[in-house]
Amino acid sequence: MMNKIKNIGLGLLALTSMTFTSCSADFLKEELTTQYSTEYFDTPEGLESLAVSLYGHIRWHFAYGWSFSITSYGVDEFTNGNDLTSEPWNTYDARLNPVKYSKANGASNDNCAAPGDLWDEMYYGIASCNTIIAKAEKVFTDVTQRNRCLAHAYFMRGYNYYRLAAQYGGVVLQTEPAVGVVRNFTRASDEETWEQVISDLRQAYNLFSGEEFTYGKGVTWTKATAAHFLAKALLFRVSERNDAWNEKYKKSDLQEAVDACTYAITARGGKLADDYNDLFAKFYKPNCEYEELDEILMACPTNGLSGTDGRFGQQAYPLFTMQFSNFAQWVKRGPWVGLDYQRCRPTEYAYSVFDRANDARMWKTFKTVYGINVIADSGKAAEENLQLGDPAIVMILNTKDDHTYDDYTFGNAKSGNPTWRDDKKRLPEGVNGKWAPNSLVLYQNGKYVGDTFGNGTTTSRANFFCGINKTEDGSRTGEKGNSNRDVIMARLGETYLLRAECYVRQGEYGKAMADINVVRKRAAWKDGEERSNYCDGTQAFENNSLYKESTSDVKNSDYYKAYAKYNTYYLSNPDMPLGTKTSTVTEMELTSFPSNLPDEDEDILASLSVSGDYARALHFILNERTRELLGEWQRWEDLSRTNTLVMRTKAFNNEAKPYISTNKHELRPIPQTFIDGLLNEDGSNLTDEQKKTWQNPGY
């Protein structure tokens, strides 16, 4: 049944979107293109097909610029690279407003994510859920089938309202199928909206029948999936952004959230994947076993079959990659190495939050070396004895107090004259001791210089940086082809951190530390693990039909040599003996909390002027969420709900610092297209003053 889910199209979803025609002009333009009529949903087969189609609906989240714009931009972890397509979402300047962005109103190009993209798409899905919920009692005679479909519908409606509430605050609560064109609505309060989210997720939790993987393990939503998001919603309701009204919920919501997390953890055996690499880096073909791990609670399903993408193909894979094709010259891009859209550039904080020596997650997340897959300068290649597969791009992630590289020149061969070479032979045998055409270091002379390389114009638009690897996919069959791998949307590693945060809010610091240590224990190097080894989803190219195909003069498998199976661990930790293999590093586990935190955390908390047990504990968990969940599409919501968005973004995101402001940017602008389409009950247009009451403060 997995292929049934992973191949589902969005025709049914588009059809039922006809029942909710209110959010923007796009709703009114939706045409009936499926062979089915709405009468099909009066049959058990039809209504279950509609429930199955909800798995296709979530593909929207990873299809274009909104995937990172509303989740990963304008935060402490990432800033913009040299590509400024969605820059307003990162900088919070005047262009971040309720109007659709275009070159005409200041956007870099017409591909900038619009403020109404999430709004419109979430209501499409809600319309489908409303149809299922309204019809289920009459259509189904089989109780198991009915509950299964209702569980899916309540979960998806709750999830979609969660996304709306997290971004916009109070929204329109449409819980029944709309009839005809509806243009008169009431905006619910924040409190009413979160009550709807939690009610739907509770319903889903109660209706799901345990961990039955009806449609495919690792993809199907189960009771544990609903439990995880129920806990997130409860935690959001009692978090700082809602302090004006949430006091009466705090005690009961926190306990319910703990119980929900406990169910999810227990139901999946309480065990995380053995190796952090299992989650992202060991992907080697579509639908492989690493997409079916017990730790995965929800994933956006995709596959390698032609014609199954529906309206939205998975295009998240190039967002975290530097623009190597522009400056590197020695690295040609393609399905073997990926595109290089350079949207999300890590901040200094994103590097410095890791324990570089002991936290394996750093070296299993950051892609620090690219191999030569094209000889750009035959003279230089001969002079330096450079071969295909030798280091073309080397990124050294050293620390502020490291002075090993103070006297070298770093940069790229296209516009500079980098002098660094691996003269101390810290790279693996066979590729060590050589000059690299492109090289980068984070610190020289005690100063952060990691954003000074690349395009040579300004640090705010650097295109040479160390990206992360969680979306790499060598199974694609075209340079710009859609990705074929699932995108993880929820997993137990986060569930443990959610429960830890609940315990912190209850003052149970010992219990919180125990949950944190489950995550940190997995993060440590394992017995016999070679720290310089590296892998990511690029390796899927070895199973790609293109691997042995040739162009007119060179094999694609030669170009694939850009994929380097080693990292810069020993270059970045120059005092670490080469070939270090260790037993489990118990130092990764906390021995006290929230006092005496690891040095990297103490430095960050000091820079934020954070004090007091609760604040220290909360900010530590935010740091730990970065280490565990970097680039997993939820940072903006985490910082917004905890009222730390402005503080942490000002501290660590130089591009956002001048513009981000309190009491405005914790919420997104309500799309003007929606507001302009509203009517009063008597059919008259809203006045300008009425329209202002619909908009979030400051926009």
Side-chain angles (χ1 to χ4, degrees):
M1 289 294 288
M2 173 175 279
N3 283 340
K4 179 180 178 183
I5 287 295
K6 299 189 79 173
N7 299 348
I8 196 71
L10 296 182
L12 293 173
L13 179 63
L15 184 152
T16 54
S17 296
M18 292 285 292
T19 64
F20 189 78
T21 57
S22 56
C23 286
S24 75
D26 291 338
F27 279 85
L28 304 178
K29 294 177 181 177
E30 195 70 50
E31 295 180 357
L32 183 64
T33 56
T34 172
Q35 62 180 318
Y36 297 116
S37 70
T38 55
E39 293 177 355
Y40 182 55
F41 302 130
D42 292 323
T43 68
E45 179 186 8
L47 208 56
E48 180 147 47
S49 294
L50 183 56
V52 170
S53 79
L54 298 177
Y55 286 92
H57 170 63
I58 62 176
R59 288 180 177 177
W60 175 90
H61 292 285
F62 306 102
Y64 293 105
W66 46 70
S67 59
F68 70 94
S69 300
I70 62 177
T71 62
S72 306
Y73 253 8
V75 296
D76 49 2
E77 296 175 345
F78 292 103
T79 185
N80 55 265
N82 191 44
D83 187 289
L84 304 180
T85 294
S86 290
E87 183 187 27
W89 293 96
N90 181 57
T91 61
Y92 299 96
D93 62 36
R95 293 171 297 171
L96 185 63
N97 61 67
V99 181
K100 181 177 175 62
Y101 312 123
S102 66
K103 290 184 70 174
N105 62 9
S108 176
N109 56 56
D110 290 337
N111 293 324
C112 184
D117 288 340
L118 178 75
W119 181 279
D120 288 350
E121 191 63 30
M122 293 303 93
Y123 281 113
Y124 278 130
I126 288 167
S128 298
C129 297
N130 288 342
T131 297
I132 297 168
I133 293 168
K135 290 178 177 289
E137 291 294 336
K138 293 181 179 179
V139 169
F140 292 115
T141 56
D142 183 287
V143 174
T144 300
Q145 187 182 25
R146 180 192 68 197
N147 287 349
R148 181 170 63 237
C149 289
L150 281 172
H152 280 74
Y154 277 115
F155 173 75
M156 188 80 276
R157 192 171 75 178
Y159 176 81
N160 281 13
Y161 273 126
Y162 175 93
R163 295 300 306 273
L164 289 167
Q167 293 279 325
Y168 301 105
V171 296
V172 173
L173 298 179
Q174 180 75 16
T175 58
E176 296 179 358
V179 178
V181 177
V182 182
R183 296 178 63 183
N184 174 254
F185 293 102
T186 299
R187 182 180 179 183
S189 66
D190 289 12
E191 184 173 3
E192 291 167 335
T193 301
W194 282 109
E195 179 57 36
Q196 183 64 51
V197 173
I198 291 166
S199 174
D200 280 347
L201 293 173
R202 280 177 182 151
Q203 288 272 42
Y205 177 75
N206 291 328
L207 286 164
F208 275 120
S209 180
E211 301 311 289
E212 294 182 4
F213 295 96
T214 312
Y215 304 120
K217 187 177 179 182
V219 174
T220 300
W221 309 328
T222 67
K223 194 179 189 73
T225 314
H228 176 91
F229 282 98
L230 174 59
K232 282 176 71 82
L234 291 162
L235 184 56
F236 208 126
R237 180 160 71 176
V238 300
S239 292
E240 285 75 4
R241 197 178 87 180
N242 296 322
D243 272 353
W245 52 266
N246 65 11
E247 186 62 34
K248 64 183 179 182
Y249 297 105
K250 287 185 177 180
K251 183 176 180 180
S252 59
D253 278 8
L254 286 173
Q255 187 56 53
E256 185 179 359
V258 167
D259 294 343
C261 287
T262 301
Y263 171 81
I265 291 168
T266 303
R268 295 297 177 90
K271 187 174 179 295
L272 303 182
D274 292 335
D275 183 355
Y276 192 76
N277 266 341
D278 293 348
L279 292 163
F280 304 102
K282 292 183 181 178
F283 171 84
Y284 64 93
K285 67 177 182 179
N287 305 330
C288 66
E289 65 271 24
Y290 295 108
E291 295 189 328
E292 299 186 359
L293 298 170
D294 284 337
E295 181 174 343
I296 299 173
L297 300 173
M298 183 178 180
C300 171
T302 54
N303 56 59
L305 301 180
S306 176
T308 62
D309 284 339
R311 294 168 63 199
F312 301 112
Q314 203 268 76
Q315 299 184 15
Y317 63 91
L319 300 175
F320 301 97
T321 310
M322 63 177 160
Q323 196 182 17
F324 57 81
S325 63
N326 178 270
F327 66 80
Q329 297 184 295
W330 299 74
V331 183
K332 177 182 173 64
R333 73 185 192 183
W336 43 81
V337 66
L339 295 177
D340 50 356
Y341 282 7
Q342 42 131 10
R343 301 293 200 271
C344 298
R345 172 167 57 99
T347 62
E348 181 183 3
Y349 159 80
Y351 302 119
S352 63
V353 74
F354 288 93
D355 176 340
R356 284 164 171 72
N358 296 318
D359 196 332
R361 290 173 298 189
M362 183 173 201
W363 304 101
K364 295 174 180 180
T365 296
F366 288 102
K367 184 170 185 146
T368 58
V369 182
Y370 289 78
I372 294 173
N373 69 1
V374 60
I375 300 297
D377 183 335
S378 58
K380 191 69 174 177
E383 177 187 341
E384 296 288 346
N385 190 30
L386 298 179
Q387 311 292 325
L388 293 180
D390 284 345
I393 306 173
V394 175
M395 291 162 283
I396 301 171
L397 310 185
N398 65 333
T399 59
K400 188 174 184 177
D401 57 359
D402 173 37
H403 295 279
T404 305
Y405 305 104
D406 288 356
D407 297 328
Y408 289 103
T409 299
F410 291 88
N412 65 85
K414 180 180 179 180
S415 59
N417 185 29
T419 62
W420 178 83
R421 68 174 60 245
D422 182 28
D423 48 14
K424 296 184 180 180
K425 296 187 176 182
R426 303 287 287 176
L427 290 175
E429 183 113 14
V431 296
N432 61 12
K434 298 191 175 187
W435 172 79
N438 308 274
S439 55
L440 171 153
V441 69
L442 293 186
Y443 293 93
Q444 287 183 300
N445 299 300
K447 180 181 178 182
Y448 182 69
V449 295
D451 58 0
T452 64
F453 308 109
N455 60 31
T457 56
T458 171
T459 58
S460 66
R461 294 179 57 181
N463 64 346
F464 186 5
F465 53 83
C466 186
I468 67 172
N469 64 14
K470 291 182 176 180
T471 56
E472 295 283 0
D473 179 10
S475 74
R476 296 176 300 108
T477 54
E479 181 178 315
K480 296 184 179 181
N482 290 333
S483 176
N484 304 313
R485 66 180 297 183
D486 296 349
V487 182
I488 295 176
M489 300 175 73
R491 56 186 179 86
L492 285 186
E494 183 192 10
T495 314
Y496 275 105
L497 295 179
L498 290 173
R499 192 169 68 175
E501 185 178 336
C502 291
Y503 284 140
V504 163
R505 293 175 182 276
Q506 292 175 322
E508 298 277 2
Y509 294 114
K511 291 181 179 179
M513 185 174 74
D515 276 349
I516 292 166
N517 280 341
V518 172
V519 175
R520 289 177 67 85
K521 183 176 182 180
R522 196 259 301 273
W525 296 103
K526 301 299 184 291
D527 186 17
E529 191 170 13
E530 173 50 62
R531 300 184 184 194
S532 66
N533 289 345
Y534 174 83
C535 66
D536 66 38
T538 304
Q539 68 186 320
F541 191 68
E542 294 176 359
N543 295 312
N544 193 314
S545 61
L546 298 176
Y547 183 64
K548 296 180 180 179
E549 293 181 3
S550 298
T551 62
S552 58
D553 59 349
V554 66
K555 292 182 178 180
N556 287 336
S557 54
D558 286 342
Y559 283 134
Y560 174 60
K561 291 179 180 178
Y563 172 45
K565 299 182 180 181
Y566 53 92
N567 60 33
T568 62
Y569 177 86
Y570 294 111
L571 288 169
S572 305
N573 293 282
D575 295 330
M576 186 67 67
L578 287 171
T580 300
K581 295 182 179 180
T582 68
S583 59
T584 300
V585 183
T586 55
E587 290 82 357
M588 281 296 295
E589 297 178 60
L590 302 177
T591 57
S592 63
F593 182 72
S595 60
N596 300 317
L597 297 173
D599 290 346
E600 56 272 11
D601 291 284
E602 292 290 1
D603 289 345
I604 291 168
L605 268 58
S607 69
L608 294 169
S609 299
V610 169
S611 62
D613 284 353
Y614 173 75
R616 285 173 56 83
L618 180 63
H619 280 273
F620 175 86
I621 287 177
L622 291 172
N623 292 347
E624 194 64 36
R625 288 182 70 87
T626 293
R627 290 183 281 257
E628 181 70 16
L629 304 168
L630 183 65
E632 293 184 45
W633 323 103
Q634 46 191 319
R635 188 60 170 184
W636 187 90
E637 292 174 2
D638 286 336
L639 300 187
S640 175
R641 72 172 173 83
T642 55
N643 270 0
T644 59
L645 177 66
V646 176
M647 168 198 282
R648 293 181 71 104
T649 301
K650 275 185 175 290
F652 304 125
N653 186 325
N654 291 332
E655 287 63 56
K657 183 177 180 179
Y659 304 104
I660 189 170
S661 63
T662 306
N663 300 323
K664 176 180 180 180
H665 292 127
E666 291 91 347
L667 294 174
R668 304 302 198 184
I670 304 295
Q672 196 64 40
T673 50
F674 170 75
I675 296 176
D676 288 343
L678 292 172
L679 298 177
N680 291 310
E681 289 186 16
D682 62 4
S684 62
N685 293 321
L686 269 59
T687 66
D688 289 344
E689 286 303 312
Q690 287 176 310
K691 289 181 179 181
K692 289 179 181 179
T693 65
W694 273 88
Q695 190 52 262
N696 279 327
Y699 292 105

